[in-house]
Amino acid sequence: MSDNERRILLGRIVGAFGIRGQIKIESWTEPRDAIFRYQPWILVDAAGGEREFSGARGKESGKHLVATFPEVTDRDVVEAMRGTDIYVPRSALPPPKAGEFYWVDLEGFRVVTVDGVDFGTVSHLFSTGSNDVLSIRGDRERMVPFVEPDFVKSVDFEAGLITVDWDPDF
């Protein structure tokens, strides 16, 4: 899938805020309010229905963001959107700085050990708070801390390959 077609999950609608159609959003961008920089949003509900929205605006409010959509002014409409995922096209994100990358750009990369043992492919990454972790699917699922250079020895974007120093039996 090309960058123009690939979608990146940036957040989720978690409920209504107030009575005028304001929307509580959980954002996974860093900083959290950066989600508003990347639009249009492609909203995907639990049934797989999609809608595209532009012009979302908002601000931080406690552990969530509070947003407004131009066409949404009713609390009941917002409550019906609860659980809707917020995606943007990969092409909406700025290019990463030199030496940096987006986690999503590593999905699908093959992972091999320094000794040539094939672990499979990266399904996703997640953060534990202390470090990020590669989730790798192959003959079984493996979790490898994304700690350079201790465990992750190299990332080759041209080859789509990550080399790790990790015990295959662990």
Side-chain angles (χ1 to χ4, degrees):
M1 185 180 299
S2 73
D3 285 348
N4 291 333
E5 297 169 338
R6 188 172 220 177
R7 294 178 178 178
I8 311 302
L9 179 63
L10 294 186
R12 179 171 292 132
I13 296 174
V14 294
F17 183 85
I19 60 171
R20 296 194 176 110
Q22 291 177 303
I23 303 162
K24 282 196 302 189
I25 293 177
E26 181 178 11
S27 171
W28 300 309
T29 61
E30 185 61 43
R32 288 187 311 167
D33 63 351
I35 194 169
F36 297 110
R37 293 184 213 151
Y38 314 120
Q39 295 193 38
W41 288 354
I42 302 160
L43 304 180
V44 180
D45 63 31
E50 295 184 11
R51 292 182 280 180
E52 187 172 296
F53 275 95
S54 291
R57 297 172 38 164
K59 62 181 180 181
E60 296 212 31
S61 179
K63 67 179 187 173
H64 295 109
L65 300 173
V66 175
T68 58
F69 291 166
E71 300 126 18
V72 178
T73 59
D74 181 80
R75 180 182 177 87
D76 294 333
V77 171
V78 174
E79 281 301 327
M81 297 170 74
R82 181 187 297 266
T84 297
D85 289 330
I86 302 168
Y87 289 86
V88 297
R90 169 63 178 87
S91 59
L93 301 177
K97 297 175 184 168
E100 295 182 352
F101 48 84
Y102 291 108
W103 283 0
V104 71
D105 294 338
L106 301 179
E107 291 174 4
F109 276 32
R110 298 236 32 99
V111 180
V112 298
T113 68
V114 292
D115 298 322
V117 177
D118 189 339
F119 279 177
T121 59
V122 175
S123 69
H124 63 283
L125 286 92
F126 61 92
S127 180
T128 64
S130 60
N131 54 267
D132 301 330
V133 176
L134 287 165
S135 177
I136 306 161
R137 294 219 173 109
D139 61 333
R140 63 183 178 92
E141 185 175 29
R142 288 183 171 87
M143 305 289 177
V144 177
F146 197 98
V147 178
E148 295 178 285
D150 298 342
F151 306 123
V152 175
K153 295 300 185 180
S154 67
V155 177
D156 184 340
F157 281 91
E158 299 222 358
L161 182 69
I162 299 172
T163 303
V164 298
D165 187 0
W166 195 253
D167 183 347
D169 295 325
F170 189 67

